Amino acid sequence: MAGTSLEVDLNKIRENTARIVEICTPHGIEVLGVTKGFSAVPEIVSAMLAGGVERIADARLENVELLRSEGFAQHMTLLRIPMISQADRIVRKTQCSLNSEIKTMRALSEAATAAGVTHEVILMIDLGDLREGVVPVDAVGTIREAEKLPGIRVAGIGTNMGCYGGILPTATNLSLLCAIARVIEEKLDRKLEVISGGGTSSIQLVKDGKMPPGVNQLRIGEGILLGTDTTHQLKLDYLHQDAFLLKAEIVELKDKPSVPIGRIGRDAFGNVPQFEDLGIRRRAIVALGRQDVQPEGLIPVDPGIQIMGASSDHMILDVEECTRELHVGDRVAFRLKYQGLLNLFTSPYIPRIFLS
Ligand SMILES: *Cc1c(COP(=O)(O)O)cnc(C)c1O
């Protein structure tokens, strides 16, 4: 019996990766495979590599260390701005990190010198999304400081968008990134190797032929994994959206009223629940709860199924309109949003099944 589990179709991950690499390569853009969405599970990382990415990137040093212990020798980039407290581990386990603080780059410089390695840094420029990065006017000054540090090589600059402020990458703001790169190159009298133009939300510009020339790297997670671009609310129709399928076992199936009976207090999380009276409805409880995934991160595959709510360990589905006949013990499938993906890979309760 299968029970509640997460099925990962490794072929679809490989094909999504290959498709994105195929779109980017003719424009001189390298794709970094971003592994943080699935806690860098080695089987999935291998599928990305089989799809044609050569370098990988993750936000968590623990994930990089897991991959190193599994024998992955690829070039790895740390995506989250480094913690000074981890400088020693970072220069030993990664080749490159994204940075915005000169104090941190000094720590990386000392650690790299002590370890006898050269660590690459990419200076992040904040073009308006207001997550990480120096503001554009500080870019040249910061790079000049970083250039003096032994053990470090300034490999280039980059930006991040569509994360905190929801700012969309455009030909305009990415042209600014390229213009900053040209100013820096002039001041340093050398070429920068990398201009890193964002993540999945930047693919559309490449596809439309509107990516400013100069951008030569994208760091892609969501597109490869889910075939979606949440920032633009796009389903990327040339990619698979179902490489990950969560299947949850039905543990109760009954007709019940759609409005609870009695005085309404608070639900298990302290919220006052709201209900619409739709009469008696067929509903299913599946063995899945907020300890595993937030219901907002799931999309039922059957069109007639709706998620009504969830407590820690039970998820309630309205299955009245489901055209398939359901039974206790059957499984209901869900596609994932990015949040659902993150949740499921950090839940210890959901077994993973790899299909290939
Ligand atoms: C997570 C992350 C990415 C990948 O973003 P996707 O939208 O999943 O492609 C890229 N860059 C940085 C800095 C990130 O933290």
Side-chain angles (χ1 to χ4, degrees):
M1 284 288 280
T4 298
S5 61
L6 179 61
E7 290 182 2
V8 188
D9 188 325
L10 297 172
N11 257 323
K12 290 184 176 168
I13 301 280
R14 180 178 52 77
E15 285 171 8
N16 281 358
T17 311
R19 198 66 195 88
I20 292 173
V21 168
E22 197 179 284
I23 289 167
C24 292
T25 304
H27 297 270
I29 296 173
E30 179 183 21
V31 176
L32 299 189
V34 173
T35 56
K36 69 186 189 207
F38 55 93
S39 303
V41 167
E43 288 87 345
I44 306 174
V45 176
S46 295
M48 278 184 162
L49 293 170
V53 297
E54 285 172 3
R55 300 179 173 205
I56 49 198
D58 201 294
R60 306 264 170 174
L61 189 55
E62 292 80 356
N63 290 351
V64 170
E65 288 176 339
L66 164 78
L67 292 176
R68 293 299 187 217
S69 74
E70 295 279 327
F72 287 83
Q74 283 76 15
H75 183 285
M76 292 192 201
T77 296
L78 184 68
L79 293 172
R80 186 170 64 191
I81 301 300
M83 287 190 250
I84 289 177
S85 58
Q86 293 186 337
D88 288 314
R89 286 160 66 196
I90 291 168
V91 301
R92 286 184 165 83
K93 300 293 179 175
T94 71
Q95 279 75 28
C96 180
S97 57
L98 308 186
N99 283 270
S100 62
E101 294 286 354
I102 193 69
K103 182 178 177 189
T104 306
M105 289 187 265
R106 285 200 192 98
L108 291 169
S109 161
E110 273 171 36
T113 308
V117 298
T118 301
H119 185 74
E120 299 160 30
V121 296
I122 306 245
L123 180 70
M124 295 301 276
I125 317 278
D126 188 341
L127 296 178
D129 193 57
L130 305 187
R131 203 177 74 177
E132 72 273 49
V134 300
V135 292
V137 290
D138 290 341
V140 174
T142 309
I143 293 253
R144 284 203 147 145
E145 285 295 302
E147 276 281 290
K148 295 182 200 147
L149 299 170
I152 274 189
R153 190 172 85 246
V154 179
I157 63 174
T159 194
N160 188 66
M161 280 187 272
C163 276
Y164 176 70
I167 295 300
L168 299 172
T170 58
T172 311
N173 54 27
L174 288 175
S175 293
L176 176 59
L177 185 70
C178 295
I180 294 168
R182 283 194 297 272
V183 173
I184 292 169
E185 287 174 341
E186 211 163 283
K187 301 271 190 216
L188 298 184
D189 196 25
R190 70 171 174 93
K191 288 294 264 181
L192 292 174
E193 292 153 46
V194 178
I195 302 181
S196 190
T200 296
S201 58
S202 296
I203 297 175
Q204 200 59 29
L205 280 177
V206 183
K207 229 177 154 265
D208 294 344
K210 293 190 177 137
M211 180 59 85
V215 170
N216 62 6
Q217 180 190 86
L218 294 182
R219 314 170 303 263
I220 308 291
E222 183 188 354
I224 292 176
L225 303 170
L226 300 177
T228 52
D229 171 353
T230 301
T231 311
H232 286 99
Q233 292 198 290
L234 277 181
K235 192 163 99 179
L236 305 174
D237 55 13
Y238 50 93
L239 301 174
H240 300 287
Q241 280 79 43
D242 56 354
F244 295 89
L245 274 186
L246 175 65
K247 301 213 172 146
E249 184 172 329
I250 299 175
V251 293
E252 183 188 294
L253 188 64
K254 293 186 191 305
D255 292 327
K256 290 199 186 181
S258 38
V259 176
I261 303 150
R263 248 183 85 207
I264 293 185
R266 302 279 167 132
D267 68 11
F269 296 93
N271 305 309
V272 179
Q274 305 280 332
F275 300 93
E276 192 186 344
D277 192 355
L278 300 171
I280 304 282
R281 305 283 288 182
R282 189 83 177 147
R283 3 162 295 172
I285 297 179
V286 287
L288 186 68
R290 289 188 187 266
Q291 290 203 72
D292 310 299
V293 63
Q294 302 309 309
E296 298 75 25
L298 300 180
I299 306 163
V301 172
D302 285 295
I305 294 185
Q306 218 187 330
I307 301 173
M308 303 312 289
S311 56
S312 318
D313 313 291
H314 301 73
M315 190 170 292
I316 296 155
L317 310 177
D318 183 315
V319 299
E320 180 77 26
E321 322 278 330
C322 183
T323 46
R324 188 159 66 93
E325 199 186 320
L326 298 173
H327 310 274
V328 173
D330 287 353
R331 301 202 298 165
V332 173
F334 302 89
R335 280 203 289 270
L336 308 181
K337 298 184 194 170
Y338 198 73
Q339 183 197 346
L341 185 74
L342 287 178
N343 291 161
L344 286 163
F345 276 95
T346 49
S347 167
Y349 298 107
I350 307 292
R352 297 153 197 166
I353 297 168
F354 298 103
L355 315 173
S356 53

